[in-house]
Every structure is written in structure tokens, then in C-alpha cells.
Amino acid sequence: METPILADAERAGMLAALHAIIVGTLSTLKRKGLLTAQEIDQLFEAGIVTFERGEPDDTKAAARLTLEILAQSLRD
């Protein structure tokens, strides 16, 4: 019998998986010279601006934090 996954754990797992995919994809594009560090920064800034429009404050804060963590992962 399977153990049910709690909604919070499911969301955290999906976020972690998304983080891994995005960092891996952008790192590969950067390593291959297809994206510059400046272009990656612009992508994340565009993502932040998108969430500034019409989203509830807690959603904006979560999106900003997630995008900042992803961007930092690519700078390391």
C-alpha cells in the first residue's frame, strides 16, 4: 500500500525538480556559449517582473525567492 504524499511535500518536490531542470538547462546553454551571464540575468529579471503584475503578495514573494535562488545557483 502506498503512503499518500502530503500536498506541501508534493509542491516542494515539484519545485525542487523544476529547480534542477532549469539550472541544468541554463547551465548547459551557458557552458556551450549559447547564453551569456547577462542574458541569464535578463531572463530572471523578466521572470520577476512578470510576477509583479497582479499576483497576490505571497505569490510574488515566493516567486521572487525562487527566481533569486535559481539565479544564484547559476552564478556559482
Side-chain angles (χ1 to χ4, degrees):
M1 185 172 181
E2 289 187 33
T3 304
I5 298 173
L6 298 174
D8 286 346
E10 184 178 6
R11 283 190 292 276
M14 288 189 303
L15 181 60
L18 178 62
H19 176 257
I21 294 290
I22 295 212
V23 168
T25 300
L26 293 176
S27 292
T28 299
L29 293 173
K30 183 179 171 186
R31 189 178 63 250
K32 291 184 176 218
L34 299 172
L35 278 177
T36 66
Q38 181 181 4
E39 290 169 328
I40 290 172
D41 287 344
Q42 289 171 346
L43 285 170
F44 283 106
E45 186 58 36
I48 289 171
V49 168
T50 298
F51 275 95
E52 294 295 323
R53 300 182 190 144
E55 294 292 336
D57 287 343
D58 56 344
T59 302
K60 283 190 253 188
R64 178 177 285 280
L65 178 61
T66 300
L67 289 166
E68 288 171 358
I69 290 168
L70 287 169
Q72 186 60 41
S73 296
L74 288 164
R75 288 187 193 111
D76 294 339

